[in-house]
Amino acid sequence: MPNSILRLENLRKKFGGVVAVDDLNLVFNKGEVTALIGPNGAGKTTVFNLITGFVKPTAGTILFKDIRLNHKKPHAIAALGIGRTFQNVQVFSNMTVLENVMVGRHLRSRNGMLMSAFLPPMLRREENRIRASAQERLVLLGLDRYAHLPAGSLPLGNQRMLEIARALALEPTLLFLDEPASGLNARETMAMGELIHKIKSMNITVILVEHDMELVMDISDRVAVINFGRLIAQGTPKEVQLNPDVINAYLGT
Amino acid sequence: MTSSSFSDILQFFFMGLQRGCIYALAAMGFNMIYNATGIINFAQGEFVVLGGLMMVTLTMAVKLPIPLAFLSTTVFVTLVGIAMERFTINPVKHPTVLRLIIITIAVSIIIKGLAMCFWGKNSHFMRHFSSTETLDFYGATILPQTLWIIGILLLIVAGYIYFFNYTMTGKCMRACAINRDAARLAGINDRKMVMLSFALSAGIGAIAGIIITPIIQMDYARGALLGIKGFGAAVLGGLGNSMGAIIAGVFIGILEALAAGYISSHYMDAIALIILMLVLFVRPSGIFGSSEAMRLKEF
Amino acid sequence: MKIKDYVGIGIVMAAVAVAPKLVGNEYYLGVLIFAALNCLTCTGLCLLMGYAGQISIGHGAFIAVGAYTSAVLTTKLGWSPWTAMGCGVILAAGIAVFMGLPTMRLKGHYLAMATLGFASIIHIVAVAAVDVTGGPSGITGIPRLQLFGFVLNSDTRNFYFYWGIVVAGLLLAVNLIHSRVGRGLQAIHGSEDAAASLGVNIAVDKIKVLVLSAVYASISGSLYAHYVLFIDPGPFDVMHSVLLVTMVAVGGLHNIWGAFSGALLLSLLPEGLSFLSEYLQTFDIRYRTDYDTLIYGGILLLIMLFLPEGLFEGLSRLLKTVFSLRRKWGGGLARHAE
């Protein structure tokens, strides 16, 4: 029996009169890759935003290893070891690729403004450590040769990779990927699949939203299907593919 | 309460009303551009100044009859607004809010500079629309010009309601304000709506300047303060909500007049600013805005 | 990156060392001292605008807070200028925290209007609170600064001391930019959501950088008071705040050296313009200082439309293109010769 890392209990979110997430109960297992799928507007990204603190739930509970996340701010949730990427890539285009990943090490040091301004020699060793570990992440994702380019100049595929490198620099135990393959070509999508495998092997629990079903079925241990903010099916990729409700939701009778 | 203190309060109320109408109009101008573009136009106060000064020239120097001068001034400032959008907002290829805000600041400096070159640093007199003989009203006096101001504000509000609810263009503008992408998908030319919003807000600003100049005497440097008071009204009424802005503008004007009467006229100008700060701290969505919607806005 | 910054600071220091010899004229030395004050304020403002992406149109108010605190405490209570300057810094920082609070809850540029409103209030108070600020006639008899028994009583001494502070301010800012905190600020500018998802406490960091920039401005205000020895509300109007934004934006928002050069350039511009007006007079064209506003506005607009990254980056990019073109041309000619 695998143990759970994240539980959603009766989670509910209303935007004005629209119910985006409706009494959602879901358990995510540690060390697994779970895919959240569903038609457009099903509320998948809202679930991500609820868990990572960008949107506050109307009702229900989010439990991460018995810690209630409900009213925590995004930065506090990041500090618990929860990383994420964004559906519309959000690299810091005003910084270099390496600096982007170095921001990911933000929580791994504690130096404040005064220390940084007045005593930079004291921080040199730590700066070097941050730089080295950021460089490591870039090598892992094959981005090291772009290290000193402005992040905004990278093609979309590489920007998605960079976002993941940045999130990995946080050393998360739980990683949310919001449509990691969207906008990527076939070759890049394959590379993304391999990368997700690699991340799983690093003992990081991955939860992703994705529309590319081939990729989803290939990499996921479990799949949860949402429609109109409700869970309509979950199980292994095989089970879900054969579920009549799922076929219904996608084809719409 | 004695009757004299009642008439005092009534007097302050009238004084406040005439200023408040101006803030309300400036706030409407802010809202139009904000709804269409998501930016705050720092040149809004300059439109008011330009309207006032142009009207002074046309009535006092060129000696046009008032209705004709009114019309030409409004058209002129509207054209300035359109030119501002065409030459400074529209060409920006990669707009960021920060960059657009700085551009509107630049335009406001330029308009102010030009106004100083053409009209000098003095305040300018302008004759009232009709007689300057005050009317008695329960012990308080009221200038006919104040009635003009209130009447014109009401006319503009009526026009505003008609335009946004019963004309196609107005409905398109509202659609753009609510969801620009969706509006574009529905075939609305959002770029044109942005231009229209600058034209309308410049026109409304001009009218505000025209009707207040007989009372306050316009000079080139008034724009910043008029602008920020108008913004105070816009925020108090809920940014983007023009009906709220009108009520808030009148409210600020009256409060200002009461403060001038009972506290000190030195600090009169600070009242609107303090209200602005208070609203930003306590309820940034304004009295009539929803706080949930506010958090999502990109201003 | 860092090497470039140290080279930059080296160049500034060298220029400061030789400037009094080159200038040799008290008047122009004074102009450069005023330029130093603007450079100091703009360095702080650039941290806020360029690095954290928050705009303040009221930094003149923080200068006023520093200047008036120094003036009032030294002339009315007889405190030492240094203590007074410290009080100014604390007061400005406190106000900045207060101003920053709404931005904790809101996205975007509320700060712009809040600071503009604050600047107007400060100006009104400076004019109206006659008992404290002296009203429109201001405060006179502000003492000179003393440094280890040295009275800063000549323009050369003032020049070295003031520019020394600018260099220190630059150094601190550069250190900050290349640290964890600086990267966090730049990340906020890049994308607030992404920054938060990596653990950057955006609300607190925005307030911190606002406080820091207010401290720069407050110190520059105190220094102003102790240099001109007389203050009135005139220089602290909203227009001055807008001018500071112009300096930073013209030089380059995203680069501390851009903001620095912008401040230096625009501080010297009026002198350049008065030269120009003398020159134009020989052609019978009358230039009035009234046109200055128009010229500032025009420069700002042109830069924002055509060189949004500012003169500094724009010029360095232009130079790079010219060099690469020359290399191409040179190569082409060489091939042609073969």
Side-chain angles (χ1 to χ4, degrees):
Chain A
M1 185 74 191
N3 50 357
S4 72
I5 186 165
L6 180 75
R7 308 169 71 85
L8 310 180
E9 292 169 0
N10 302 319
L11 191 62
R12 194 176 163 78
K13 177 65 196 177
K14 273 171 76 173
F15 290 110
V18 183
V19 181
V21 175
D22 196 358
D23 282 326
L24 191 66
N25 285 291
L26 253 177
V27 178
F28 298 96
N29 291 332
K30 199 173 173 168
E32 288 187 353
V33 175
T34 310
L36 219 53
I37 64 170
N40 281 324
K44 298 163 303 211
T45 296
T46 307
V47 173
F48 270 28
N49 286 339
L50 283 166
I51 300 170
T52 48
F54 286 90
V55 172
K56 291 198 171 51
T58 314
T61 314
I62 305 161
L63 281 177
F64 171 70
K65 299 183 197 163
D66 301 325
I67 305 167
R68 232 172 96 95
L69 299 185
N70 281 38
H71 290 290
K72 288 204 188 307
K73 290 261 170 64
H75 68 90
I77 289 172
L80 294 171
I82 299 179
R84 74 166 292 178
T85 66
F86 295 86
Q87 189 179 339
N88 44 343
V89 248
Q90 306 218 0
V91 297
F92 308 124
S93 46
N94 51 339
M95 304 166 84
T96 67
V97 169
L98 182 66
E99 283 170 338
N100 262 268
V101 185
M102 286 170 81
V103 177
R105 303 297 292 170
H106 194 80
L107 288 163
R108 298 287 151 188
S109 66
R110 287 260 147 265
N111 296 303
M113 201 168 253
L114 292 178
M115 188 79 169
S116 313
F118 285 99
L119 292 169
M122 305 266 290
L123 304 177
R124 192 156 296 151
R125 190 179 295 168
E126 189 184 72
E127 273 292 294
N128 289 339
R129 226 179 8 242
I130 292 175
R131 190 178 302 270
S133 84
Q135 191 74 40
E136 240 170 70
R137 302 300 189 292
L138 286 181
V139 173
L140 181 76
L141 278 94
L143 292 172
D144 44 325
R145 72 204 123 119
Y146 310 118
H148 296 290
L149 293 181
S153 70
L154 295 186
L156 182 72
N158 285 338
Q159 290 199 16
R160 285 208 184 278
M161 290 288 189
L162 175 58
E163 253 200 328
I164 297 177
R166 203 173 61 182
L168 285 176
L170 192 70
E171 292 180 23
T173 48
L174 179 57
L175 180 62
F176 287 89
L177 303 176
D178 200 345
E179 303 202 11
S182 124
L184 302 194
N185 62 33
R187 193 174 47 81
E188 288 170 327
T189 305
M190 248 173 64
M192 184 60 75
E194 279 164 28
L195 175 65
I196 294 172
H197 270 300
K198 218 189 275 177
I199 295 172
K200 186 190 167 189
S201 69
M202 291 158 66
N203 256 329
I204 297 171
T205 309
V206 178
I207 302 174
L208 69 150
V209 163
E210 183 50 65
H211 284 293
D212 185 327
M213 282 310 137
E214 210 175 320
L215 179 69
V216 167
M217 298 307 164
D218 176 42
I219 59 174
S220 316
D221 299 299
R222 295 173 65 77
V223 177
V225 191
I226 327 186
N227 199 12
F228 297 115
R230 286 175 167 281
L231 184 69
I232 57 173
Q234 61 172 324
T236 63
K238 270 268 152 50
E239 287 164 8
V240 166
Q241 271 173 311
L242 298 173
N243 187 315
D245 287 340
V246 176
I247 297 164
N248 237 339
Y250 268 89
L251 298 177
T253 47
Chain B
M1 194 180 275
T2 64
S3 73
S4 83
S5 75
F6 170 74
S7 63
D8 276 355
I9 289 180
L10 198 64
Q11 189 66 58
F12 290 132
F13 177 77
F14 288 145
M15 275 170 58
L17 206 57
Q18 67 192 18
R19 289 174 159 272
C21 289
I22 303 312
Y23 304 151
L25 289 174
M28 281 172 81
F30 273 115
N31 280 335
M32 283 197 183
I33 291 180
Y34 174 74
N35 279 341
T37 62
I39 61 174
I40 294 302
N41 174 23
F42 278 83
Q44 192 63 38
E46 262 61 37
F47 290 152
V48 180
V49 171
L50 214 50
L53 291 175
M54 194 67 194
M55 187 70 177
V56 167
T57 303
L58 290 185
T59 51
M60 306 306 280
V62 186
K63 300 211 186 304
L64 288 183
I66 282 182
L68 191 59
F70 192 116
L71 193 70
S72 351
T73 304
T74 313
V75 170
F76 167 73
V77 180
T78 305
L79 289 177
V80 171
I82 292 175
M84 173 180 176
E85 197 277 335
R86 281 292 106 179
F87 296 120
T88 70
I89 304 294
N90 195 43
V92 176
K93 289 274 165 20
H94 306 287
T96 62
V97 177
L98 188 68
R99 190 170 160 202
L100 290 177
I101 287 181
I102 297 178
I103 286 178
T104 68
I105 293 175
V107 172
S108 83
I109 302 175
I110 291 175
I111 295 181
K112 190 173 161 187
L114 285 173
M116 187 169 74
C117 292
F118 284 117
W119 283 283
K121 292 180 177 174
N122 306 326
S123 313
H124 292 270
F125 286 95
M126 191 193 136
R127 66 189 166 90
H128 289 224
F129 286 10
S130 44
S131 90
T132 49
E133 243 165 78
T134 55
L135 311 166
D136 275 332
F137 190 84
Y138 289 105
T141 57
I142 186 165
L143 279 168
Q145 186 67 26
T146 310
L147 297 177
W148 277 108
I149 291 175
I150 295 167
I152 288 172
L153 176 75
L154 290 178
L155 268 180
I156 289 178
V157 172
Y160 179 93
I161 292 173
Y162 174 77
F163 177 72
F164 281 101
N165 290 297
Y166 300 102
T167 67
M168 199 59 204
T169 322
K171 285 181 186 172
C172 290
M173 272 187 89
R174 267 172 61 200
C176 275
I178 295 164
N179 187 332
R180 203 163 164 179
D181 292 329
R184 198 182 299 148
L185 283 178
I188 297 171
N189 182 348
D190 61 321
R191 281 285 187 180
K192 215 167 119 191
M193 293 301 144
V194 171
M195 188 175 93
L196 193 58
S197 76
F198 272 86
L200 285 175
S201 99
I204 291 182
I207 294 175
I210 292 170
I211 57 182
I212 196 69
T213 301
I215 289 174
I216 64 167
Q217 297 164 23
M218 195 56 81
D219 65 77
Y220 82 102
R222 273 183 185 269
L225 205 55
L226 277 171
I228 192 168
K229 286 180 182 176
F231 182 76
V235 170
L236 182 63
L239 202 55
N241 178 344
S242 280
M243 290 304 129
I246 291 161
I247 298 169
V250 172
F251 172 75
I252 288 178
I254 292 170
L255 213 58
E256 226 178 61
L258 289 175
Y262 291 106
I263 304 170
S264 144
S265 61
H266 283 304
Y267 289 104
M268 180 184 84
D269 283 332
I271 290 294
L273 306 173
I274 289 168
I275 290 177
L276 168 65
M277 309 286 269
L278 279 180
V279 177
L280 287 180
F281 280 94
V282 182
R283 195 176 156 81
S285 51
I287 328 178
F288 304 104
S290 101
S291 54
E292 179 86 3
M294 200 61 218
R295 212 162 284 139
L296 299 173
K297 279 187 180 166
E298 254 308 325
F299 163 58
Chain C
M1 277 309 270
K2 281 208 110 167
I3 295 166
K4 255 189 214 168
D5 291 328
Y6 287 125
V7 170
I9 286 178
I11 292 174
V12 174
M13 282 168 80
V16 168
V18 299
K21 299 265 173 339
L22 287 181
V23 174
N25 167 331
E26 291 271 303
Y27 172 73
Y28 289 116
L29 220 47
V31 170
L32 285 174
I33 291 174
F34 283 117
L37 297 173
N38 284 332
C39 287
L40 188 63
T41 314
C42 287
T43 304
L45 190 56
C46 176
L47 289 175
L48 178 73
M49 277 174 60
Y51 287 87
Q54 305 297 306
I55 183 171
S56 159
I57 320 176
H59 252 55
F62 292 116
I63 302 180
V65 167
Y68 272 101
T69 312
S70 279
V72 170
L73 292 183
T74 52
T75 58
K76 307 222 159 144
L77 303 178
W79 290 19
S80 106
W82 300 108
T83 327
M85 193 185 286
C87 290
V89 163
I90 292 168
L91 188 59
I95 293 173
V97 171
F98 187 67
M99 301 287 311
L101 285 176
T103 55
M104 278 183 79
R105 288 181 298 153
L106 298 162
K107 273 191 165 177
H109 296 90
Y110 261 86
L111 189 63
M113 272 299 178
T115 48
L116 181 54
F118 169 64
S120 314
I121 292 178
I122 289 281
H123 193 249
I124 290 168
V125 171
V127 175
V130 181
D131 294 340
V132 184
T133 64
S137 47
I139 299 174
T140 49
I142 301 166
R144 292 180 187 281
L145 283 174
Q146 294 194 16
L147 199 66
F148 309 117
F150 253 114
V151 184
L152 298 179
N153 54 3
S154 77
D155 273 351
T156 318
R157 283 181 186 183
N158 268 315
F159 175 86
Y160 280 123
F161 178 67
Y162 280 28
W163 275 96
I165 288 185
V166 172
V167 170
L170 270 172
L171 196 64
L172 294 183
V174 167
N175 285 339
L176 191 70
I177 290 164
H178 297 293
S179 74
R180 164 181 183 268
V181 180
R183 280 191 299 271
L185 292 177
Q186 279 170 275
I188 292 175
H189 192 184
S191 155
E192 291 196 6
D193 284 351
S197 83
L198 297 170
V200 179
N201 191 340
I202 43 178
V204 170
D205 278 8
K206 275 189 203 168
I207 293 182
K208 275 189 188 163
V209 73
L210 176 62
V211 168
L212 185 67
S213 70
V215 167
Y216 270 82
S218 162
I219 291 177
S220 133
S222 295
L223 292 177
Y224 170 81
H226 289 298
Y227 175 65
V228 296
L229 311 182
F230 156 76
I231 56 169
D232 67 353
F236 306 113
D237 62 354
V238 171
M239 197 54 210
H240 188 66
S241 298
V242 173
L243 187 59
L244 292 171
V245 172
T246 307
M247 288 175 176
V248 174
V250 165
L253 280 175
H254 307 293
N255 188 321
I256 201 101
W257 293 106
F260 175 82
S261 14
L264 193 60
L265 202 68
L266 288 198
S267 306
L268 302 182
L269 184 66
E271 300 309 316
L273 289 176
S274 74
F275 268 126
L276 185 71
S277 77
E278 275 169 31
Y279 177 72
L280 286 179
Q281 241 159 22
T282 60
F283 294 98
D284 237 21
I285 300 168
R286 291 256 300 283
Y287 176 88
R288 296 185 314 192
T289 47
D290 290 4
Y291 300 150
D292 282 4
T293 322
L294 202 55
I295 286 174
Y296 285 128
I299 291 176
L300 181 60
L301 183 64
L302 289 177
I303 293 278
M304 276 294 121
L305 287 179
F306 301 112
L307 269 183
E309 69 271 53
L311 270 184
F312 189 78
E313 298 257 311
L315 281 185
S316 59
R317 210 185 43 188
L318 194 71
L319 281 181
K320 265 183 212 158
T321 336
V322 168
F323 273 119
S324 69
L325 268 184
R326 255 187 46 184
R327 210 172 303 147
K328 222 184 256 170
W329 260 99
L333 287 176
R335 259 201 310 281
H336 203 75
E338 265 177 45

